[in-house]
């Protein structure tokens, strides 16, 4: 099946190249009379008319980019006729976004105006065509390569965006982070890479997003239900991780980078190379990173928080007058230690399990092991292999977008100290995703999209000793449409979708005395009567379906002030764990029990926001209210006397449903008193309430789990683009983050506890060393986090609850977050012109 899919994708690209051949262009009086033509122009300073050298011109929908030469000129060949957004950017100038009709225009000159504001961000996620964020009614945020590069201290791509307003992350150590948006995460937030769904057992706590952070140049986030264009599991939002854009025509560009973090001895090296010759696009990124156990003053080095990760990806594609088609392939390979927080009762030093008997005395972890990069016997090994194709064809009055993906996720947890080669958990998840949509204009410029997308999954539970979920097949399908129209200052958008998800769970039997005395999946005959064999899972089929939709409007009161609002209904089918789980998950130390009688979740969210942009100040206020029906959460199983029920040595939890409400908002104020000085301020607040099912809700149950507290971020930043001598693009910043105490927590069964407030101080600086031509030869990024070395626990950290069952009086239980860390990142870019097209 894998080879068939690979062959199909390659055949598809070959067929596309043959069918959509180049057509000759005929240009008359700056009007393109044929299907394709060219676009050229000059970018100048509006004040003095001088050419701007090195400005970037992008056509996002065509994935074409160019850079102005010494005369401020640029050019594109083989651009199709149609109306497309053209974006022009340069540091220190106001971004220009303008829709250009390529059937009427072949010359597009731009006069840029100096500005200290970063405005005009364009997104491609969840829209039919590239759109300015400020014109989209749906709450969104986007960050580019510069933002990501300057967050050098973050250990993974989710941590790099986890301080954005409305965004947070549930963590299990430095390399395990799952995105949360407005208090929703796991299977309620879809993570994409280049628009392809990321699938890797998202219901699990103890592994992160399987993406190489070094291969991501841009992140776009939809904050709220995005089920309309992405289907089930996007009820909380979408995080789209976007790989590097193609380099300009005739260029081969690359870089070598290295990073070192002082706290955990983190190393992160990466090599990148990209080329573009006559529309043949190619690129590769190869990375490796690893660390020792991280440390803080309260815990010392935290045992079993080290990891080792290797990544590689390649891309090859065509960018022609008929559109583009790119084939990507990547592998993610992560070995991650599994912390449990156990300690010596007298010294509070961390201990390690060395025998199978979990109740046997444990050994104190030697300092040499804490300082080692070696992965311990008890660890998880997560591998994700991915092949996907992004294609976009210019057809008729619109474009046909086709995204096809194949993923194979292999997740193992090695939990037997005396049998290190036997996996406690061994899951094989194969996923095929499809997404086809046609974007076109009807009537009087009504931007319209009709599409259908979904996925097929097959999961096997492998050669293991623990079986929390069954083997199953899953199929998703959802047709949808979206329509947008501008009426002067008013932009309207609306859409609808109908989703269906089908599960087919396989029956499973377990031999309780299998290989080496461990439980083992039984595949023999007569399981009902075989000795030492018990039924683990029943066979059953289940189908979920539901409607989702949205309606939104943006009113541009003036060029400086706008108001936008959106109301949307989201749909989410329960996950395989929520309906079928019946087994232990060693990483979470929980025995899970699902409920096959669950109903799908639905949400109704209202958003409204106001945005102000003036020469020296930008500000926004956004609020949201989200009511959820059939909200699913875990509840501990208690005996008649109120004591916890244990199954196979694990505390037992079952899933339940109720009504819920999540509401809050964000405030942003950016001041620019002088051109080079920025004072950025943001506030995020989220409340989550369990509304029950009609009766009274106990105090311990009235709040939802993993709701972030009030968070404020202030940053004073100086940017000196002109620099000094050969040092250019200099920046320096000081940041202050305040997290209030979280006293609105899911207290039942000790699931969550009160979290004290804390303040964190950060700072950083960097710049480019350039050659005589002004091109960077070395880029330096330095960032320090938690510079005051504060001992703190985040309520979003699962390690907060990892400790002995009994803790001495006066000692705060659980593991604390990372202490002071300073990272040093060096990037050495290189590049040259390839042979020019004849």
């Amino acid at each position: 099946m894998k080879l068939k899919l690979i062959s199909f994708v390659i055949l598809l690209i070959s067929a596309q190249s043959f069918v959509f051949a180049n057509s000759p262009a005929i240009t008359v009086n700056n009007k393109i009379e044929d299907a394709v033509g060219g676009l050229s122009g000059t970018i100048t300073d509006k004040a003095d008319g001088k050419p701007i050298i090195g400005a970037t011109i992008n056509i996002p929908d065509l994935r074409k980019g160019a850079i102005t030469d010494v005369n401020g000129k640029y050019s594109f060949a083989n651009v199709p006729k149609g109306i497309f957004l053209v974006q022009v950017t340069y540091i220190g100038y106001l971004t220009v976004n303008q829709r250009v009709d390529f059937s009427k225009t072949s010359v597009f000159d731009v006069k840029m105006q100096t500005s200290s504001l970063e405005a005009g961000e364009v997104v491609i996620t969840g829209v039919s065509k590239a759109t300015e964020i400020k014109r989209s009614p749906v709450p969104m945020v986007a960050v580019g390569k510069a933002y990501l590069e300057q967050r050098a201290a973050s250990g993974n791509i989710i941590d790099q965006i986890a301080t954005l307003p409305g965004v947070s992350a549930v963590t299990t150590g430095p390399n395990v982070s799952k995105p949360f948006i407005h208090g929703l995460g796991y299977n309620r937030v879809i993570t994409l890479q280049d628009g392809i769904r990321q699938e890797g057992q998202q219901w699990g706590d103890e592994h992160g997003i399987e993406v190489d952070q070094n291969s991501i140049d841009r992140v776009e986030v939809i904050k709220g239900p995005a089920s309309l264009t992405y289907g089930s599991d996007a009820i909380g939002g979408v995080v789209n991780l976007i790989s590097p854009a193609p380099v300009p025509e005739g260029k081969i560009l690359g870089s070598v980078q290295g990073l070192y973090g002082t706290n955990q001895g983190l190393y992160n090296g990466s090599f990148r190379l990209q080329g573009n010759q006559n529309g043949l696009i190619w690129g590769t990124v190869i990375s490796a990173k690893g660390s020792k156990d991280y440390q803080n003053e309260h815990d010392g080095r935290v045992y079993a928080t080290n990891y080792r990760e290797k990544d590689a990806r390649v891309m090859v594609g065509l960018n022609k007058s008929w559109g583009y088609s790119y084939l990507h392939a990547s592998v993610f390979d992560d070995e991650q230690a599994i912390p449990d927080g156990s300690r010596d009762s007298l010294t509070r030093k961390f201990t390690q399990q060395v025998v199978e008997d979990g109740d046997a005395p444990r050994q104190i972890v030697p300092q040499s092991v804490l300082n080692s990069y070696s992965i311990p016997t008890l660890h998880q090994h997560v591998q994700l292999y991915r092949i996907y194709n992004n294609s976009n064809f210019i057809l008729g009055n619109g474009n046909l977008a086709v995204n096809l993906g194949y993923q194979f996720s292999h997740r193992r947890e090695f939990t037997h100290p005396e049998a290190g080669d036997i996996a406690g958990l061994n899951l094989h998840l194969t996923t095929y995703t499809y997404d086809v949509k046609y974007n076109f204009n009807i009537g009087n410029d009504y931007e319209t999209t009709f599409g259908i997308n979904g996925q097929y999954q097959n999961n096997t539970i492998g050669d293991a000793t623990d079986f929390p979920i069954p083997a199953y097949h899953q199929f998703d399908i959802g047709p949808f449409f979206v329509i947008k129209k501008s009426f002067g200052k008013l932009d309207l958008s609306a859409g609808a979708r109908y989703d269906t998800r089908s599960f087919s769970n396989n029956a499973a039997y377990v031999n309780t005395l299998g290989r080496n005395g461990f439980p083992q999946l039984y595949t023999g005959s007569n399981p009902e009567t075989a000795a030492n064999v018990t039924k683990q899972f029943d066979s059953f089929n289940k189908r979920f379906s539901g409607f989702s939709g949205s309606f939104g409007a943006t009113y541009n009161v003036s060029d400086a002030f706008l108001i936008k609002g959106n109301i949307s209904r989201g749909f989410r089918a329960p996950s395989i764990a929520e309906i079928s789980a019946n087994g232990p998950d060693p990483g979470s130390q929980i025995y899970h029990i699902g409920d096959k009688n669950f109903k799908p979740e639905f949400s109704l969210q209202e958003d409204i926001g106001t945005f102000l942009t003036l020469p020296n100040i930008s500000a926004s206020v956004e609020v949201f209210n989200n009511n959820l029906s059939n909200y699913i959460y875990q509840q501990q199983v208690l005996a008649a006397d109120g004591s916890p029920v244990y199954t196979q040595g694990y505390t037992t939890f079952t899933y339940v449903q109720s009504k819920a409400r999540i509401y809050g908002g964000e405030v942003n104020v950016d001041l620019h008193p002088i051109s080079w000085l920025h004072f950025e301020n943001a506030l995020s607040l989220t409340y989550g309430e369990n509304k029950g099912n009609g009766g009274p809700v106990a105090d311990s149950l009235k709040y939802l789990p993993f709701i972030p507290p009030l968070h404020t971020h202030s940053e004073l930043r100086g940017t000196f683009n002109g620099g000094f001598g050969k040092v250019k693009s200099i920046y320096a910043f000081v940041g202050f983050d305040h997290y209030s105490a979280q006293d609105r927590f899911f207290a039942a069964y000790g699931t969550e506890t009160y979290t004290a407030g804390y303040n964190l101080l950060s700072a950083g600086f960097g710049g480019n060393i350039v050659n005589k031509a002004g091109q960077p030869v070395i880029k330096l990024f330095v960032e320090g986090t938690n510079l005051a070395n504060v001992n703190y626990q985040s309520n979003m950290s699962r390690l907060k609850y990892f400790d002995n069952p009994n803790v001495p009086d006066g000692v705060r239980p659980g593991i604390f977050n990372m202490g002071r860390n300073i990272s040093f990142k060096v990037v050495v870019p290189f590049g040259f012109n390839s042979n020019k097209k004849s």
Side-chain angles (χ1 to χ4, degrees), residues 41 97 141 147-148 160 165 173 188 262 276-277 332 334 343 367 389 405 412 506 567 617 619 636 641 669 686 720 764:
N97 292 301
V141 64
Y147 178 96
L148 297 175
Q160 286 180 286
R188 296 183 178 95
T262 60
N276 182 347
Q277 180 65 33
F332 171 95
D334 178 47
R343 311 185 195 221
Q367 195 65 31
N389 173 255
R412 286 163 287 177
N506 297 337
I567 182 169
I617 182 174
Q636 189 172 15
D641 61 358
V669 179
T686 303
F720 308 93

Side-chain angles (χ1 to χ4, degrees), residues 534-615:
T534 62
K535 176 178 273 191
Q536 189 81 9
F537 301 104
D538 291 319
S539 174
F540 75 94
N541 298 316
K542 191 76 174 181
R543 175 173 291 184
F544 302 95
S545 58
F547 165 82
S548 55
S550 72
F551 176 78
T554 300
Y555 185 69
N556 301 273
V557 179
S558 68
D559 291 338
F561 182 68
L562 64 88
I563 302 172
K564 60 183 182 179
N566 191 72
I567 182 169
S568 55
R569 185 180 196 255
F571 162 84
R572 183 181 83 92
S575 71
I576 185 65
E578 291 164 344
I579 62 171
S580 302
N582 183 33
D585 183 358
S588 64
Q589 298 293 300
I590 288 176
Y591 191 99
H592 300 272
I593 298 177
D595 187 338
K596 62 184 178 182
N597 296 313
F598 275 161
K599 299 177 181 179
E601 289 183 348
F602 289 97
S603 70
L604 184 64
Q605 178 164 318
E606 304 93 17
D607 297 274
I608 188 167
T610 60
F611 300 81
L612 176 69
T613 304
L614 296 174

Side-chain angles (χ1 to χ4, degrees), residues 31 37 51 65 77 134 139 182-183 199 227 267 287 290 316 325 405-406 447 517 544 582 590-591 602 652-653 734 796:
K31 289 190 176 183
K134 69 178 184 178
H182 288 165
E199 292 293 323
S227 303
Y267 65 86
S287 304
V316 62
S325 184
Y406 160 80
E447 291 186 17
F544 302 95
N582 183 33
I590 288 176
Y591 191 99
F602 289 97
T652 307
F653 278 74
V734 176
M796 303 296 285

Side-chain angles (χ1 to χ4, degrees), residues 72 141 178 402 450 479 569:
V141 64
K178 289 184 179 291
V402 181
F450 285 97
R569 185 180 196 255

Side-chain angles (χ1 to χ4, degrees), residues 442-701:
I442 60 174
N444 186 19
D445 286 335
Y446 285 86
E447 291 186 17
T448 308
T449 299
F450 285 97
I452 187 169
N453 54 29
Q455 62 182 350
Y456 169 77
Q457 289 188 332
N458 179 57
N459 184 77
T460 62
I461 47 183
D463 185 13
T465 64
D466 296 305
F467 309 95
I469 62 172
Y472 69 92
H473 304 281
Q474 175 188 319
F475 179 69
D476 295 358
I477 186 169
F480 64 93
F481 80 90
V482 181
I483 189 165
K484 299 193 321 183
K485 170 65 176 174
S486 294
F487 299 90
K489 295 183 177 181
L490 179 64
D491 301 322
L492 298 177
S493 68
R497 179 188 181 99
Y498 190 80
D499 275 290
T500 300
R501 169 172 290 182
S502 301
F503 281 109
S504 176
N505 291 13
N506 297 337
Y509 295 83
V510 172
N511 181 356
T512 57
L513 296 176
R515 181 164 61 112
N516 297 329
F518 295 113
Q520 186 177 14
L521 196 66
Y522 180 77
T523 57
S525 60
N526 304 317
E528 300 288 351
T529 58
N532 303 315
V533 173
T534 62
K535 176 178 273 191
Q536 189 81 9
F537 301 104
D538 291 319
S539 174
F540 75 94
N541 298 316
K542 191 76 174 181
R543 175 173 291 184
F544 302 95
S545 58
F547 165 82
S548 55
S550 72
F551 176 78
T554 300
Y555 185 69
N556 301 273
V557 179
S558 68
D559 291 338
F561 182 68
L562 64 88
I563 302 172
K564 60 183 182 179
N566 191 72
I567 182 169
S568 55
R569 185 180 196 255
F571 162 84
R572 183 181 83 92
S575 71
I576 185 65
E578 291 164 344
I579 62 171
S580 302
N582 183 33
D585 183 358
S588 64
Q589 298 293 300
I590 288 176
Y591 191 99
H592 300 272
I593 298 177
D595 187 338
K596 62 184 178 182
N597 296 313
F598 275 161
K599 299 177 181 179
E601 289 183 348
F602 289 97
S603 70
L604 184 64
Q605 178 164 318
E606 304 93 17
D607 297 274
I608 188 167
T610 60
F611 300 81
L612 176 69
T613 304
L614 296 174
N616 296 311
I617 182 174
S618 62
S620 65
V621 178
E622 298 177 88
V623 295
F624 71 93
N625 179 64
N626 192 4
N627 288 288
L628 298 103
S629 58
N630 307 321
Y631 176 83
I632 300 173
Y633 65 97
Q634 284 189 307
Q635 180 171 289
Q636 189 172 15
V637 179
L638 302 178
D641 61 358
S643 61
V645 171
Y646 289 87
T647 306
Q648 299 180 14
Y650 298 92
T651 54
T652 307
F653 278 74
T654 186
Y655 292 93
V656 295
Q657 289 190 301
S658 71
K659 296 178 181 178
R661 181 190 179 204
I662 303 177
Y663 58 99
E666 294 101 43
V667 178
N668 289 272
V669 179
D670 294 348
L671 304 174
H672 300 263
I674 50 180
S675 61
W676 58 268
L677 186 63
H678 309 253
F679 185 38
E680 304 170 358
N681 302 272
L683 179 149
S684 300
L685 180 62
T686 303
Y687 288 126
E689 299 176 350
N690 183 357
K691 310 302 288 187
N693 290 306
V697 178
D699 287 346
S700 62
L701 292 169

